[in-house]
Amino acid sequence: MRMNKRLRVGILGAAHINKVAILDAAAGAPGFVPTAIASRSLDKAQAYAAEHGIAHAFGDYHAAIASHDVDAIYIPLPNSQHVEWSIAALEAGKPVLCEKPLAMNADEARTLRDTVDRTGGVFVEAFHYRYHTFIRRIKQLIDAGAIGDLKSLSIIGHVPGARMKADNIRRNAALGGGVTMDLGVYAIDAMRYLVGETPRVVSAKAELSLPEIDGAMHAELAFPNGVTADFHVSHISPHPETESAISIVGSEGAIHATRPYLPHNSGELRLQTAKMELLEHADAMTTYMFQARAFIEHAARERIVETDVHSGIINMEIIDAVYRAAGLRPRGV
């Protein structure tokens, strides 16, 4: 890509994810400029701007979206606010990078799609891991037949329960909480990307940590081509460390990948067949830096958006089906 472009990004909300996803990422993405922060409190926005060296602070999201000093909008708000503010930014002609999942449920996602289609705007769901060379290498090995015909995938994602504070928005159903809306959507997206098809939900079982909040979820899925898959995700793991991995079985071998969503944190890929064994270490550049570089191209319409609103709808349809199979209501329903 031509790295002389300049994209001034306005951030809606002083979320914790901003630091790694936007502020730190800018260091590895020349031209990606965090230029504004908006909060419902102007004092909070000004303090955040001063702390992080951001040029502009706004006490209103609409003001940031309308600003002539802002070229694109990043949305790290609670899931319940993703569609509302994505639509507002698209209506103003601003490209959008929105944290996953893009909506509370599939119907909300379709409302967002209608706006994207009508405005012709740029909308990107922030699956940062999809831009890293690590997941693309796994996909390359599968497609090249390195382990023969694909048979099954299994994904785990566990966060220690001790790290989940009582006021965390992931524990609030009204805000779109629950582990399936957090770690589960990563697993679903990764399965779809690696297999190249859309699965159906066979079964799902939730462990509730609060009323209507899935602290853990196990789901089984099946793809049209015969590949089977399952994921187990948890916000209430008793183990002290975060754990994530993808295990892929083929007719001639297997691939096991650790830290697939944050591979820059010592992710490893191990491939084993009867004829060979391969061990590769992930690129240390962060997924968020790869994403920031890509978003510059997305905003300039120089790169096809893989994680677009249409892909997001499919993810939400699967999430809704997982909740229903587990005897729970989809978020926002």
Side-chain angles (χ1 to χ4, degrees), residues 112-134:
L112 177 57
R113 175 201 58 199
D114 293 345
T115 300
V116 173
D117 290 348
R118 177 172 50 79
T119 63
V122 174
F123 176 88
V124 182
E125 191 172 13
F127 280 109
H128 53 96
Y129 83 100
R130 287 277 295 270
Y131 298 97
H132 201 278
T133 54
F134 191 68

Side-chain angles (χ1 to χ4, degrees), residues 32-324:
F32 187 87
V33 183
T35 193
I37 180 71
S39 171
R40 296 186 187 280
S41 162
L42 180 58
D43 288 344
K44 184 176 182 179
Q46 290 173 333
Y48 192 95
E51 179 182 358
H52 297 287
I54 297 174
H56 306 282
F58 298 93
D60 176 81
Y61 297 155
H62 284 295
I65 290 171
S67 173
H68 295 298
D69 296 307
V70 172
D71 302 317
I73 295 295
Y74 170 63
I75 300 175
L77 298 167
N79 298 334
S80 58
Q81 299 178 43
H82 287 180
V83 168
E84 174 187 359
W85 292 106
S86 291
I87 288 175
L90 290 164
E91 294 282 8
K94 303 291 174 78
V96 174
L97 179 64
C98 179
E99 277 303 327
K100 52 78 202 161
L102 76 172
M104 292 280 275
N105 53 61
D107 284 342
E108 266 202 5
R110 293 184 191 102
T111 299
L112 177 57
R113 175 201 58 199
D114 293 345
T115 300
V116 173
D117 290 348
R118 177 172 50 79
T119 63
V122 174
F123 176 88
V124 182
E125 191 172 13
F127 280 109
H128 53 96
Y129 83 100
R130 287 277 295 270
Y131 298 97
H132 201 278
T133 54
F134 191 68
I135 195 70
R136 293 177 178 271
R137 174 59 170 158
I138 298 171
K139 173 71 168 171
Q140 179 189 48
L141 289 168
I142 292 172
D143 290 349
I147 57 172
D149 295 331
L150 189 59
K151 297 296 184 182
S152 66
L153 291 86
S154 183
I155 297 182
I156 61 168
H158 300 157
V159 172
R163 296 188 185 179
M164 195 65 60
K165 296 181 180 179
D167 62 349
N168 193 300
I169 60 174
R170 295 171 180 83
R171 294 166 56 92
N172 188 323
L175 298 180
V179 71
T180 307
M181 294 286 283
D182 183 33
L183 302 178
V185 72
Y186 276 112
I188 290 166
D189 187 75
M191 288 175 176
R192 289 183 52 230
Y193 173 66
L194 294 174
V195 178
E197 294 188 355
T198 298
R200 63 180 176 85
V201 177
V202 176
S203 67
K205 183 177 181 180
E207 181 179 351
L208 299 187
S209 54
L210 291 168
E212 291 294 315
I213 289 292
D214 47 314
M217 182 70 78
H218 179 260
E220 296 180 342
L221 303 95
F223 288 85
N225 62 1
V227 173
T228 60
D230 70 272
F231 68 80
H232 187 276
V233 290
S234 175
H235 279 161
I236 53 177
S237 171
H239 301 292
E241 299 296 330
T242 297
E243 181 182 18
S244 61
I246 299 178
S247 296
I248 306 160
V249 176
S251 60
E252 298 178 15
I255 295 171
H256 183 74
T258 60
R259 302 181 183 273
Y261 312 127
L262 297 172
H264 50 272
N265 291 337
S266 304
E268 291 185 350
L269 181 161
R270 186 180 298 275
L271 182 150
Q272 291 180 302
T273 70
K275 297 179 180 180
M276 66 173 292
E277 182 171 333
L278 175 70
L279 175 65
E280 295 183 0
H281 300 279
D283 190 317
M285 192 170 94
T286 74
T287 54
Y288 300 104
M289 289 181 181
F290 278 105
Q291 177 177 255
R293 290 182 175 188
F295 188 54
I296 295 173
E297 291 186 303
H298 290 324
R301 301 178 186 272
E302 295 178 350
R303 177 172 178 162
I304 294 173
V305 180
E306 295 179 18
T307 58
D308 63 6
V309 67
H310 302 284
S311 178
I313 289 171
I314 296 172
N315 283 342
M316 293 313 304
E317 288 173 341
I318 298 169
I319 288 175
D320 289 355
V322 167
Y323 275 126
R324 291 189 175 105

